[in-house]
Amino acid sequence: MKLSKTTANRIGLDTVLDRLEPQSPYGRRAKKNLHPLEKAELFCAFDDLRAMMTAIKNEPAAFLQLESELAHFFEARSSVNNVLKTAASDVDFFELKRYLLSWNALSKKLQTLNPLKGLFTRELGGALKILDPEGMGIVTFVIDSQELREVRRKKACAGAEERSEYAEKEERLEREQRARLCKDLQPHCGDILKSMAALERFDLTLAKAMLAIRDGAVIPEFNDSEGIELVGMTNPRVGEELERSNRSFCPITLSAVRGCTVITGANMGGKSVALMTLALNVCLAHMGIAVYAERAVLPYIDELCYIGADGAAQESGLSSFAMEVRSWNEALRLAQDSELSLLIFDEPARGTNPHEGAAIARGLCRYGERLRSITVIATHYDGVSEHADASYRIAGLKPVDAEQIRAYGAQTIAENMDYSLICESRGAEVPRDAMRICELMGMPKELIDLIKDGEDSTIS
């Protein structure tokens, strides 16, 4: 499963990832590399997340302290690589010593608090002793030996000519000492790299767990069926936008099986929000991140394709509709090659005339039944749901009258829209809220009558 950056931003994935806050550079590196996982990796990731959430709830203060300690780590992977190449500098040794001091302090706590199976938690005392032979535990480093001390002492007391000779000898001894340190450290580098991998896994899982607990997200259930059930799902990005206007997100419940599910409704944005919320939560589930829902049950999905008409034409010579068709072709090709795919079409063919557009949407719905895919189509065209396996409509506008609009403004309409999904029988008509809104917004009655009568007339 691959998502373009445009799609990830559109569905709100970037907002969730911004809220995911690993504390160490190792955890942040793991976050940067987040992607949909293969099935075995995914189940292991959720085993980790489940165990971490339980551990945090049992000892919240201890894990807050672990977060604080993770923030003290610095990136030292390049220093390990330089040691392996016998090319480490004094700065590399300093960074490694600092890392080892932090790791050994953390590992003692991990040995009692860590809930993750198979995590490397061993102290690296042998490696630290090479860089801190006297066991001072101080975060400083200098190339040193008895012979070097003697040379440095003589150089300080020598005249100009002799000082140059001692400086050359000092430099040679330092090179030899660095080479010896690299040689001594090289057998320990494997374990150091294991500890860094452990930090990636632990810190990222801790961040995922903290996010899930803070936002009330849940671990999805995976089954072997070919259907998705998401109860009470939300979308944090849309929720944040609504909060800025003192509104709240209406949780969405949706079930979709192999074949085609259609969402109908007037062209006022509720359908797109439902599709973005579905895509976001399916994507999160396949990245090993808790989902924003009361309950989520779904199969493992190989490909997720989200196709919307907005922002389409990016290449010279292609219209937005041509770009949309190209996206359909790519999605259908992926669906044919996958075990199970999720195809999401947001208002397909909205960029062409209504007659052809409706025919195209109906064709996509019927074609979805021939693929190993769960196809979800949002449309305001008539007749599409006749060919669907399941049909929903946006609940639409709540009771409101023109007097309220005049008193409180057009914002009243937005505040009285119900974006929840209502399951309908196959072939149900598309909701007709558009004319009602025209009336509430004070459109001239003469024009409304002409529209209702289907007359083509010019108002002078």
Side-chain angles (χ1 to χ4, degrees):
M1 181 192 295
K2 294 180 180 178
L3 280 182
S4 69
K5 189 172 182 180
T6 300
T7 298
N9 291 341
R10 183 186 300 163
I11 67 177
L13 180 61
D14 53 338
T15 298
V16 176
L17 294 183
D18 285 346
R19 296 162 86 140
L20 185 65
E21 299 177 335
Q23 299 301 305
S24 73
Y26 304 95
R28 289 191 289 272
R29 174 191 173 100
K31 172 186 168 179
K32 186 177 180 181
N33 294 327
L34 270 173
H35 59 277
L37 302 171
E38 296 296 327
K39 188 183 293 188
E41 292 179 291
L42 182 61
F43 293 166
C44 288
F46 278 124
D47 286 343
D48 279 358
L49 181 55
R50 195 175 291 108
M52 186 67 80
M53 289 176 69
T54 299
I56 293 170
K57 289 173 181 176
N58 289 337
E59 297 186 77
F63 282 88
L64 284 173
Q65 180 60 37
L66 282 178
E67 268 196 320
S68 176
E69 293 191 24
L70 286 165
H72 295 152
F73 278 84
F74 291 85
E75 179 61 73
R77 204 181 306 263
S78 62
S79 297
V80 177
N81 292 334
N82 287 336
V83 166
L84 288 169
K85 292 186 288 188
T86 318
S89 66
D90 291 4
V91 173
D92 290 320
F93 294 127
F94 167 76
E95 295 292 351
L96 269 176
K97 182 180 179 183
R98 180 166 62 165
Y99 173 83
L100 291 167
L101 286 168
S102 296
W103 169 259
N104 286 347
L106 181 69
S107 70
K108 294 173 184 176
K109 295 185 178 180
L110 289 181
Q111 287 167 24
T112 58
L113 288 172
N114 166 54
L116 308 183
K117 291 181 180 178
L119 190 79
F120 183 93
T121 60
R122 192 185 329 136
E123 284 188 62
L124 299 174
L128 180 59
K129 189 171 180 59
I130 294 168
L131 297 173
D132 186 20
E134 296 179 359
M136 300 296 290
I138 300 171
V139 187
T140 58
F141 180 81
V142 63
I143 292 290
D144 194 24
S145 69
Q146 188 61 43
E147 187 175 7
L148 266 170
R149 289 176 199 167
E150 183 64 21
V151 169
R152 287 166 181 160
R153 185 188 66 79
K154 290 179 178 179
K155 184 180 74 170
C157 301
E161 187 175 335
E162 288 183 312
R163 187 178 296 116
S164 177
E165 293 178 8
Y166 283 122
E168 289 180 9
K169 186 174 183 180
E170 179 186 27
E171 186 177 339
R172 176 178 57 79
L173 290 172
E174 287 177 349
R175 285 199 305 270
E176 291 173 355
Q177 179 73 349
R178 291 188 192 99
R180 279 195 295 272
L181 286 172
C182 287
K183 185 178 179 181
D184 291 343
L185 282 168
Q186 283 167 357
H188 299 273
C189 285
D191 282 347
I192 295 173
L193 291 173
K194 284 181 185 178
S195 71
M196 292 175 176
L199 278 175
E200 286 190 6
R201 178 183 167 195
F202 184 88
D203 193 12
L204 182 62
T205 305
L206 179 59
K208 288 181 183 179
M210 291 293 192
L211 176 68
I213 293 169
R214 186 169 64 245
D215 287 2
V218 301
I219 295 175
E221 304 169 39
F222 282 85
N223 60 24
D224 294 327
S225 72
E226 294 183 344
I228 295 170
E229 181 184 3
L230 285 157
V231 178
M233 60 177 168
T234 59
N235 186 311
R237 191 194 71 190
V238 179
E240 289 176 3
E241 292 171 356
L242 290 170
E243 284 175 8
R244 286 194 282 272
S245 57
N246 296 316
R247 296 156 63 198
S248 58
F249 192 99
C250 178
I252 298 165
T253 295
L254 173 68
S255 295
V257 297
R258 181 174 175 268
C260 187
T261 297
V262 171
I263 301 174
T264 62
N267 195 14
M268 290 177 286
K271 301 186 299 300
S272 294
V273 169
L275 294 188
M276 289 188 294
T277 303
L278 168 64
L280 170 66
N281 284 290
V282 170
C283 183
L284 291 174
H286 285 75
M287 294 173 74
I289 300 174
V291 301
Y292 288 78
E294 296 171 17
R295 181 168 180 261
V297 182
L298 65 164
Y300 182 81
I301 292 170
D302 299 286
E303 297 289 348
L304 187 157
C305 299
Y306 182 103
I307 303 102
D310 50 325
Q314 298 292 325
E315 298 181 28
S316 176
L318 284 180
S319 67
S320 61
F321 181 66
M323 288 291 290
E324 188 181 6
V325 173
R326 173 186 284 184
S327 298
W328 297 344
N329 291 341
E330 175 65 12
L332 297 173
R333 183 189 64 76
L334 289 171
Q336 288 172 337
D337 295 338
S338 71
E339 287 294 319
L340 183 64
S341 58
L342 172 61
L343 306 182
I344 298 176
F345 297 92
D346 187 1
E347 294 280 12
R350 79 174 86 180
T352 188
N353 72 71
H355 179 75
E356 284 187 306
I360 290 169
R362 288 193 292 268
L364 282 172
C365 183
R366 295 172 65 187
Y367 191 73
E369 296 180 348
R370 304 181 184 184
L371 302 172
R372 287 197 55 80
S373 69
I374 299 168
T375 302
V376 182
I377 297 176
T379 183
H380 62 276
Y381 289 135
D382 287 320
V384 182
S385 65
E386 294 176 7
H387 308 283
D389 296 277
S391 178
Y392 291 85
R393 69 172 173 86
I394 302 295
L397 190 61
K398 300 174 186 176
V400 62
D401 57 41
E403 195 64 35
Q404 288 177 278
I405 303 295
R406 284 193 290 271
Y408 300 106
Q411 181 64 20
T412 304
I413 292 178
E415 292 171 354
N416 285 276
M417 281 297 296
D418 181 351
Y419 293 111
S420 60
L421 294 180
I422 297 174
C423 189
E424 291 202 312
S425 59
R426 186 170 181 166
E429 286 191 1
V430 173
R432 307 294 181 185
D433 274 340
M435 282 305 303
R436 188 177 169 207
I437 289 173
C438 289
E439 292 172 339
L440 290 170
M441 292 292 291
M443 181 178 280
K445 184 176 183 304
E446 184 180 1
L447 174 55
I448 289 173
D449 290 342
L450 288 171
I451 294 170
K452 286 182 177 179
D453 292 341
E455 294 179 4
D456 184 11
S457 178
T458 301
I459 300 176
S460 58

